[in-house]
Every structure is written in C-alpha cells, then in structure tokens.
Amino acid sequence: MTQLVIEGHGVSVPLDPGRSYRLGRDPRSDVVINVDRVSRAHAVLRFESGQWILEDMGSSGGTYHGGHRVQRVIVGPGTRVVLGDPAEGGVITFRMAAQAPPAPAQAPPAQTVPARAPLAQARPAQARPAQAPPAQAPPAQARSAQAPPAQAPPAQASPAQAPPAQALPARAAPAHGMTVRFPRTGQWREPAAVRDVGGAQVVRIGRAPENDMVVTDLRVSRRHAELRIMAGGHEIVDVGSRMGTYVNGRRVQQARVTPNDLIGIGPSTFQLVGDTLMEYADTGEVCLQAHDLTVVVGGGKVLLDHVTFPVGEKCLLAVIGPSGSGKSTLLRALTGLRPADQGVVTYDGRDLYRDYAELSSRVGLVPQDDILHNQLTVRRALIYAAELRFPDDTRQNERKARVDEVLQQLGLDNRKDNRISSLSGGQRKRVSVALELLTKPSLLFLDEPTSGLDPGLDKSVMQMLRGLADDGRTVAVVTHSVANLDICDRLLVMAPGGKIAYFGPPAEALPFLGFTDWADVFLAFDDPARDWAGEYARSPAYQKYIAADMIQPVSSRAPEQREAPPKQQSWPEQLSTLVRRYCRGIVADRLFLGITVALPIVMGLLARVVPTGNLMGPPNSNGNAANLLLILCIGGCLTGAANAVRELVKERAIYQRERAVGLSRSAYLCSKLLVLGLITVAQGVVLTYVAMLNVETYDTGVFTAPLTELSLAVALLSFTAMTVGLLISALAKTSETTMPLLVLVTLIQLVFCGALVHLDGKPVMEQLSWLVPARWALAALAGTLDVGQLIPHIQDPPDPLWSQDFGTWILDMGVLAVLGVVCSFLVARMLRRHEPAVMRGR
C-alpha cells in the first residue's frame, strides 16, 4: 500500500493507517494549522474501510472542499481541503509519498458525505449481519483514544454535487471499532461496546465489573438494569437503580424494546440491532440547538423573542447584551430549568424538554451566586456534593477519587484543604465549576462567572472555560465583560426585547454592528427605532452561521408533561448527608458557634436583673411576678428566631441548584429542623436554668417539678420561634431584609404574649393573640408557677389560660406545638416557590 502524505503551512506528515491525526490551531495537534480562522481542534483524519477520511470536529469556521462546506470527505492524492474559511482559511493537500503532488487538473474528484442525514433518514437502518472491518482498519482503541468522532455543521454541497448515499454507507450492525451514524441525531459515532445477545437469556448492565455490559460512570448503579430475551422480543427491566432506566426518554421499570427504541442508562444509550446490543457513550461532544425560543410573562411582556441559533461541539459561546435583554432567561430556557413558552432545545438532536429527566444530568449550570458553603474546605464541600449527586451505592473511595480528579483538572490541588471563604473570587468560581464537573456534563452553562472580578481574574476564568471546551464539552457563558471575547468560538449579542442582534465569530461582531467599541454598541441599544433582529436576519451572517447549521426538530411533548430528574440517593441518605454537612459548617464557623453558646447565658443573666418578687407569696401579693416569665418568653423567641432567620435565604442559590439535580425538599427542610431544633432546644433549657438559678418556687408545678415544666415550655417556644424564623427566611428576598422582620416579629410577641396587656375577653386582640407562640408559652409558664394568683387583679379576673391545671397546661403546649407544625408546612410551601418549575410537583 502506497503511503499518503498531508502537506500545508510548512507541514509535511506521512500518514500511518494504524492511527488517527488531529488537525487544528492547538500546538498539541498532530498537524498544526496556525491560521486564525482554523479552530483549535478542527478536524480528525483517520483510515477507515480502506480509505482516508477527513472529518470536521465541530469547528466554528467549517471544512471546505470544492468551495462547499462538508462534514466528512474521502481524501486521496491530489485532494485539496480548506479549513476555517473557503477564501482565507488554511489549505491542506494530499500526495503520494513516492511522487510529487499531481496537478489539480489530474486529481480524482473527492467524495463528500453530507454532514447530517435528513430526520426522515435518521431512523435506525434494518438489521443486517455484522461485517468485520477491513484488515487495514486501525484498532478501535487507537481511534477512540486519538480522536473520537464528532458532529459538525452540515455540508453545503448541493444535491447535484453530493455523491450517492452508497459512497460511505451507515452500517446497521457494525463490528466494534467501526464508525456509524448514531440513530435520531445524524451524528457519526463509534459504539463504545457491542455484545451479541443472540444466545443469552439475560444481559446485565451496570457499574460493577461482574455485569455483562459495564458502564463505569458513577451515575450508573452497580446493578442498574437487565435486558431479558423473551419469546417474541426483548424486554428492559430496571433493577432498582437510582438514576433510572429510560426508553426513548421516558423512565420505565419494565418495557418491551424494539430496534427502533433507544435505551438510556446514565451517559450511555443502547440500541438493539438484530441480535446485537450496541452501546453509544456520550463523551461530551454534542451539539446544542435553540429553535424559536419565546418567553412571555404576565402582562404580555416578551423576555425572549423567537431566538434561534446552534452551538457546535467543543464550542465556547459567550452571551452578552444590555440589562433586560433576556440573557438569564435564555440560560434558564437552554438548561430546561424554565422551559420556553414556545420552541424547543435539542441536545444532540434530542428534545431536551421532552427527555429532561434523562438528559438533565448531562447539563451543568453554575449560577451567578456561588453554590458553596463557605465554612467548608474545598475538598470537603465537593465530597458532600458528590454524595448528593451520585447513587447511594457509590463507595466513598469512588467519590473521593472523582473529587480528586476534578481538583487536578482545574488546578485546585494546592487549595483543596483551604476554606472556601479564604479563596479569591476566581478560585471560588473554579470550585463552583468543579462541583458541576463531578458528573461530567457535556453541556456547561455559566451565568456571569466573572462578575465582580478584576481583569486578571476575568481572563483566568475565561481561559479556564476555553480549556474546558477544548477538552470535549460545549460551554456557554453569560457575561457583561467584553475583554476576553476573542477566545470564544461564537458570540451571541442579545438586543433589548430578547432578540438576536448578532451571532457568529467574535471578531466579526463589531464590524457587523457598525461600531469600533462595545461601549458604543450598548449605548446604541437605547435607540428603539433600530431593528437589530431584522438587520441580522436579513444578513449573510445569519445564513452562514445559523440557517446553514440548523436542523428542524421533530415534534415534542409539552414542557409541562416533563418528568423531574430522579433522586440519586434515598431520603434517609440525603438527610444524613445534609445533616453532616450542616453540622460541619456550624462547627467550622467559630463566631456563630460562640454566639450560639453565649446567647442563652446572657439572656438568662438579664432575667436575673429584672425584679420578680416572691413567687411563693399569698394571692394578689406580687405585681412583678410575670416579669421573669416575660423575659423567658422573649429570650426564647429571640434565640430561636435569630438562629434561623437567615438560614434559607443565604443558601437559596445552593438549594435551587441542588433541588434541580434531585435533592428532596423535605429532606432539606428536615435537616434544618433537626440540627437547628436541637441547638434551639438546648439554648432554651440553658436559658431557663440560668434565669431560675436560686429562684425559690413551690415544690410542684402542674404535674412535676416546676423547673422541668418551665424548661419544656421555653424549649418548645424556642423551637416554634425557630420555625417562624425559617418562615421569615423563606419569604425574604435578601439577607438584609431579615433583621427588620425579626425585630417586628419580636415586638409582636412582646405585645401579644399577655404579660403587658390583659387579652382575655378583648375582641380582635384576643383572636390575634392565638396566632402568637409567646401567648401560649407564657400561659404554660404561668400555669406552672400559678402566677395568675400572685398578680393583683383590680377589675379583670386572671387569664383562664394561666390556670394551674393539667388540661389547660396541655392545651397551651399543644397549641404551641401546632403553631410550629403549621409554620414548618408554610416553609415547605415557600421553598417550592424558589424551585425550578420541573421540580415543583415533587
């Protein structure tokens, strides 16, 4: 066999059929084409089925042969290919090793293959016997390690110029190592594994090595699913996995499957072709497309107005625009957290909204606010996140190994034992990205990651994102910074009203918009007379960068019918993780811990300063008898509410993100009630004992020792006040608004507790007091000490709720407990308001 040589831009490389070659601007490429319009990872060259194939890897500028944009081209001696741009791109040619390059006129015509088959042809082909690859074909391991095949924009060759489909046929049942067109996406992809199931009764699929088909991803359970061969067909059965088993995007426990069905397990998709089960692994090289996205809110205000654009594989997309142009709304629509009212988002040809439950784990989102607990160290925070995001049958050493891998990938090894609060803004953003990379998402979205960073950190973060895209994923970043747009592959400029003003290479944006400075562009957006979207839609750039690459999606199910992502852990496991994380954060926060210990002691000492008189005197002999009880009530209310008043609002961004990946709302709330409840109850007991030290009382209260009854009442009041604090925190929009609300609630408790104003028999005031926890707590305290008999009553009789009998005391305590339950229920309802729409039904 005669050896082929590739030449261009000072490069001459003899080609070895036993390996594949990467072409691009990246210095690490096998064939470096140092031209501006060439992508860093532009194309791959491989020997396949006895011929050399050049395949575009999702480049921004495209690959051209004969003046037409192509996805794959069969090359040979005399073939001339242009990378990046048909006129100004990088030119490469091919010749035989033993002779000079033939003249162009004598070169045989190259055969081009359309980048994507039409959707009507994207269905699986009829099953045919498997064919072994030719002897010259390289091993599957070499090809997959050197250059995994990827999808790119469709070819522009006209039907008349395109070769017949037989030029490079898609095989229905290929041998392992052969590249085929993946069903329903039109993507050329090599099967990760192929298994003959003809003679088997059961094919076991899972993460454990003893399975018949092993999927090593940690999101897959050790024993995940079984393919059972039955009379008349095949059946897939989920065997108790956490992430779930899907057929055509719908979660199933048991379902019949046909060759037209796609079986989703973790990041892998399985398909039956005859008696062969083929696995296609999602390695990250996927294409995202937004089709006619429109979002309209109350009053008819349009946030997104028919937004359409493609994002290729390994692409870094920057989204910029003035405030109110719909950038964050677009981000939520692209991630599926808030589906568009009209239009769809396709993930590698699949409807993201319809298949959200299956695909959501492949989409990562880094919100603008850090999704981190600042008191924890970097590694510890990631370990807790791994516990929540991986199935509960994942071993601890597996989670830690994945955490260490991500830390090394992002250069955080030397910071892993630092507290997050001690990191710089850029390092904290890296940790937020590391948290999302734990599950190896193919799509990564970031909302203003450089906000508030200095220019150096801004550049560092953008370079990190560039590296993540080059490593094999699609990255989209919403930003206000325009300093480092040049390292992006694509730029989306949003105009007011949620419209596209420009989409294409960053270098062409300012000339297209007619300005030389981005500040002038943003000022020009204030002109309502200019039709930004219309100008772009009528431009050649729209045809080149959007229309040429879009594929019409198939019809999809309504967004409101989507399934929510599965819970990766059982409810007890989630609660255990949340409680341990919360306790570790409290212990690490020494200031909070000190205040928690000191506050009940200080409040108890203050109660000793207030005169109380003799609590064992005759009836109507002590007008100050209620002072001590009043201090106990206010102290219990204040300590309980102060503990919780900021807990939910400060973690809102964390909760929203974790809820979107399967966190249980009830487990989250119970972790707060359990940890804060224990702390608050302990504070109530300490407060009571300090306040009652050396205070003489009767030997017996309502049914036991007075100090015990008083401690129970103050502890229950503190717990109920804590639930009131959580309710304030759930209602508040910012942490700053919680303090005024805390003061207001404390004053209400003071006025309506019944110590300052006699409430019995007073319309309206008495009924309002029934909703105040301090009213019932003070009544229980007064019943224990029989304070109602000590206070002189000139006109009004003692409050009947202060009676020293068991039935009244139980009523007081019972209503106090009911108020705590009601507040907890309201907190759960308020938490639901802040969740992604898809999770509100769970």
Side-chain angles (χ1 to χ4, degrees):
M1 181 182 63
T2 307
Q3 191 176 43
L4 194 67
V5 177
I6 181 174
E7 292 186 333
H9 294 268
V11 175
S12 181
V13 180
L15 300 180
D16 178 8
R19 56 164 297 190
S20 57
Y21 297 83
R22 288 181 179 269
L23 285 69
R25 203 173 72 249
D26 192 328
R28 296 171 295 179
S29 301
D30 299 304
V31 181
V32 179
I33 311 297
N34 193 14
V35 177
D36 289 341
R37 295 183 181 272
V38 176
S39 297
R40 285 177 168 79
H42 195 105
V44 62
L45 183 67
R46 65 169 62 88
F47 191 78
E48 184 177 295
S49 302
Q51 53 197 354
W52 283 98
I53 306 296
L54 180 69
E55 181 175 351
D56 192 281
M57 296 176 65
S59 64
S60 58
T63 300
Y64 299 85
H65 172 71
H68 300 286
R69 187 169 182 170
V70 296
Q71 163 69 11
R72 290 162 61 92
V73 57
I74 302 173
V75 299
T79 302
R80 181 179 185 272
V81 178
V82 184
L83 307 182
D85 184 89
E88 302 177 5
V91 180
I92 57 173
T93 59
F94 297 84
R95 66 172 176 85
M96 305 297 292
Q99 63 184 23
Q106 299 172 348
Q111 296 172 312
T112 58
V113 178
R116 298 186 181 96
L119 287 178
Q121 299 176 7
R123 302 178 184 275
Q126 295 296 322
R128 289 181 287 185
Q131 300 176 359
Q136 299 91 336
Q141 293 86 347
R143 262 199 307 276
S144 60
Q146 291 291 333
Q151 181 183 6
Q156 300 300 308
S158 63
Q161 296 167 326
Q166 297 90 316
L168 194 59
R171 290 168 291 279
H176 183 38
M178 303 301 292
T179 305
V180 298
R181 188 181 294 280
F182 184 60
R184 300 190 181 183
T185 68
Q187 178 176 6
W188 294 89
R189 184 175 293 174
E190 178 182 338
V194 175
R195 182 178 179 85
D196 185 0
V197 298
Q201 293 299 316
V202 177
V203 177
R204 296 174 178 84
I205 306 172
R207 196 176 76 251
E210 59 268 19
N211 288 285
D212 301 307
M213 297 195 77
V214 180
V215 183
T216 58
D217 193 278
L218 293 184
R219 290 168 289 178
V220 178
S221 298
R222 300 185 64 81
R223 293 186 64 251
H224 198 105
E226 294 179 352
L227 180 70
R228 298 174 181 174
I229 289 77
M230 308 177 66
H234 300 78
E235 184 178 61
I236 189 72
V237 179
D238 188 278
V239 290
S241 70
R242 279 292 171 193
M243 191 168 187
T245 302
Y246 299 83
V247 175
N248 301 326
R250 183 175 61 89
R251 187 171 184 176
V252 298
Q253 292 298 321
Q254 186 172 347
R256 289 268 185 170
V257 291
T258 68
N260 288 328
D261 294 325
L262 300 182
I263 304 169
I265 295 178
S268 296
T269 302
F270 296 83
Q271 187 189 17
L272 277 170
V273 181
D275 290 333
T276 301
L277 181 63
M278 295 193 296
E279 176 195 353
Y280 299 91
D282 186 345
T283 57
E285 297 178 351
V286 298
C287 179
L288 180 76
Q289 293 192 346
H291 300 264
D292 198 36
L293 300 184
T294 302
V295 174
V296 181
V297 294
K301 183 179 180 181
V302 178
L303 300 183
L304 287 183
D305 192 357
H306 302 283
V307 173
T308 299
F309 63 91
V311 186
E313 303 159 7
K314 296 186 178 181
C315 176
L316 176 57
L317 167 71
V319 182
I320 65 172
S323 299
S325 58
K327 302 185 298 297
S328 295
T329 303
L330 175 63
L331 200 65
R332 290 193 294 270
L334 292 176
T335 56
L337 294 180
R338 199 289 187 191
D341 300 321
Q342 175 183 319
V344 297
V345 177
T346 57
Y347 174 101
D348 208 19
R350 299 178 61 182
D351 187 337
L352 178 64
Y353 293 167
R354 181 193 62 202
D355 300 344
Y356 184 76
E358 178 185 352
L359 299 178
S360 61
S361 65
R362 309 184 196 183
V363 180
L365 172 64
V366 180
Q368 182 176 354
D369 297 325
D370 290 332
I371 48 178
L372 306 165
H373 290 84
N374 291 332
Q375 299 82 11
L376 302 178
T377 64
V378 171
R379 190 168 186 267
R380 180 57 57 184
L382 294 181
I383 288 175
Y384 284 132
E387 289 186 19
L388 292 174
R389 298 191 179 209
F390 292 132
D392 44 17
D393 67 350
T394 308
R395 295 190 178 99
Q396 187 72 357
N397 64 318
E398 293 176 310
R399 298 191 190 107
K400 290 181 178 179
R402 178 58 188 154
V403 168
D404 292 338
E405 180 184 345
V406 171
L407 289 172
Q408 184 177 7
Q409 180 183 2
L410 293 179
L412 291 169
D413 269 346
N414 59 338
R415 301 287 183 180
K416 63 182 180 182
D417 295 324
N418 291 23
R419 285 178 60 172
I420 294 174
S421 59
S422 68
L423 302 179
S424 66
Q427 291 168 343
R428 284 200 302 272
K429 195 57 64 176
R430 283 178 180 266
V431 179
S432 294
V433 173
L435 191 150
E436 291 299 315
L437 292 184
L438 289 173
T439 55
K440 299 182 179 180
S442 299
L443 301 177
L444 182 63
F445 296 89
L446 301 97
D447 190 2
E448 299 192 23
T450 60
S451 177
L453 302 184
D454 62 53
L457 292 178
D458 184 316
K459 184 175 183 178
S460 174
V461 170
M462 292 300 291
Q463 287 176 336
M464 174 191 66
L465 301 182
R466 175 72 266 172
L468 293 176
D470 291 340
D471 285 343
R473 60 181 55 84
T474 298
V475 181
V477 52
V478 172
T479 180
H480 282 296
S481 174
V482 296
N484 298 287
L485 297 179
D486 57 313
I487 69 173
C488 300
D489 298 304
R490 286 287 184 266
L491 175 64
L492 174 63
V493 182
M494 300 292 293
K499 301 177 182 180
I500 294 182
Y502 172 79
F503 178 83
E508 301 177 18
L510 285 174
F512 174 83
L513 295 171
F515 295 92
T516 58
D517 185 81
W518 281 110
D520 295 330
V521 175
F522 280 75
L523 288 174
F525 280 134
D526 293 333
D527 182 8
R530 183 168 178 179
D531 183 11
W532 298 92
E535 291 178 14
Y536 180 72
R538 294 186 294 270
S539 69
Y542 175 85
Q543 297 298 323
K544 182 177 181 180
Y545 300 121
I546 292 184
D549 289 348
M550 299 299 294
I551 298 178
Q552 184 63 31
V554 295
S555 59
S556 64
R557 198 167 50 191
E560 55 268 23
Q561 298 177 355
R562 297 182 304 158
E563 298 179 53
K567 295 181 176 66
Q568 297 299 324
Q569 289 186 317
S570 64
W571 193 92
E573 288 289 341
Q574 284 195 356
L575 179 63
S576 172
T577 299
L578 293 169
V579 167
R580 286 184 286 109
R581 183 176 69 179
Y582 194 16
C583 290
R584 186 177 286 269
I586 290 175
V587 172
D589 191 345
R590 296 181 180 179
L591 177 60
F592 177 82
L593 195 61
I595 293 175
T596 299
V597 173
L599 184 60
I601 298 175
V602 172
M603 294 294 296
L605 293 176
L606 289 176
R608 304 298 304 276
V609 177
V610 178
T612 59
N614 186 3
L615 297 181
M616 300 176 60
N620 299 319
S621 63
N622 188 355
N624 297 323
N627 290 343
L628 176 63
L629 306 187
L630 177 61
I631 295 297
L632 287 175
C633 279
I634 298 305
C637 290
L638 190 58
T639 54
N643 285 340
V645 75
R646 290 190 176 182
E647 280 303 311
L648 301 183
V649 67
K650 75 178 183 182
E651 291 186 356
R652 185 159 296 161
I654 300 174
Y655 173 72
Q656 289 173 336
R657 183 59 194 141
E658 292 182 343
R659 181 75 173 124
V661 296
L663 177 67
S664 167
R665 181 194 309 133
S666 59
Y668 177 76
L669 179 56
C670 283
S671 71
K672 297 296 183 186
L673 293 175
L674 183 60
V675 176
L676 283 179
L678 290 175
I679 292 174
T680 301
V681 167
Q683 287 179 316
V685 173
V686 171
L687 168 63
T688 304
Y689 272 80
V690 172
M692 297 298 296
L693 190 64
N694 294 328
V695 176
E696 295 184 2
T697 63
Y698 292 106
D699 294 336
T700 304
V702 176
F703 66 96
T704 186
L707 192 57
T708 301
E709 292 183 14
L710 294 175
S711 299
L712 288 173
V714 175
L716 184 56
L717 171 63
S718 299
F719 183 89
T720 304
M722 178 208 58
T723 64
V724 174
L726 288 176
L727 183 59
I728 294 173
S729 190
L731 288 169
K733 292 185 177 180
T734 63
S735 295
E736 289 73 17
T737 60
T738 58
M739 286 298 104
L741 291 174
L742 175 62
V743 173
L744 176 62
V745 168
T746 304
L747 289 176
I748 292 174
Q749 304 274 358
L750 178 63
V751 172
F752 286 93
C753 69
L756 302 179
V757 180
H758 190 84
L759 299 171
D760 181 49
K762 293 188 177 181
V764 181
M765 289 193 65
E766 181 181 13
Q767 285 70 38
L768 289 176
S769 71
W770 294 345
L771 303 176
V772 176
R775 167 83 158 106
W776 303 97
L778 184 72
L781 295 172
T784 294
L785 299 178
D786 200 15
V787 171
Q789 298 300 320
L790 297 177
I791 300 176
H793 297 279
I794 300 175
Q795 295 179 345
D796 300 318
D799 194 319
L801 293 178
W802 293 13
S803 176
Q804 192 181 41
D805 64 82
F806 186 74
T808 303
W809 193 87
I810 288 296
L811 173 65
D812 296 335
M813 296 290 284
V815 174
L816 189 58
V818 168
L819 289 175
V821 172
V822 170
C823 287
S824 300
F825 174 77
L826 293 177
V827 171
R829 299 299 296 176
M830 293 301 104
L831 281 174
R832 184 178 180 274
R833 294 192 317 162
H834 303 295
E835 295 172 357
V838 71
M839 300 300 297
R840 291 179 185 170
R842 298 189 58 174

